Amino acid sequence: MHKPTLITGLALGYVLGSRAGRERYDQISRTVQSIMRAPAVRSAASSATNAAGSATHSAAHAVVETIGHRLHPTAHERLSRLRDRTAGYRTGEPETVTVPTADC
């Protein structure tokens, strides 16, 4: 995310949040929590997590196989560990999948 966009979003959120008051905040919080608990959202988040893990595994594997011998030993070790840690995503069975929840 670009820094100006982030700053603008934070400023807008602050202004709107301070104007809306606690009641509106609680209403928004409940809405976000109910959306995050929806099966479709949880499924989409899980699919995105799996896709990101698979892409990470593939990228780490490609780097280690292609230029691993030229990397500093520490970098090679870290990439190898990342590749091993994300190996489950390649088979569709990640070690752990956490779906973010709104703790507002």
Side-chain angles (χ1 to χ4, degrees):
M1 180 179 287
H2 299 290
K3 200 171 191 175
T5 305
L6 177 64
I7 292 171
T8 302
L10 290 174
L12 183 62
Y14 176 78
V15 169
L16 292 176
S18 63
R19 287 185 182 171
R22 182 66 185 191
E23 236 176 73
R24 180 71 177 141
Y25 171 81
D26 290 338
Q27 180 186 13
I28 292 169
S29 177
R30 285 190 304 272
T31 302
V32 168
Q33 288 175 359
S34 68
I35 290 170
M36 292 303 293
R37 284 191 216 115
V41 173
R42 294 183 68 82
S43 175
S46 179
S47 295
T49 301
N50 287 335
S54 179
T56 301
H57 175 78
S58 297
H61 181 74
V63 169
V64 168
E65 293 299 316
T66 305
I67 63 167
H69 63 282
R70 288 186 264 160
L71 293 174
H72 186 276
T74 304
H76 187 274
E77 168 82 23
R78 288 182 181 180
L79 276 171
S80 294
R81 277 189 281 160
L82 177 63
R83 183 178 61 175
D84 294 342
R85 210 171 55 227
T86 59
Y89 288 103
R90 187 175 182 143
T91 62
E93 298 177 10
E95 293 175 7
T96 57
V97 174
T98 55
V99 177
T101 57
D103 293 330
C104 298

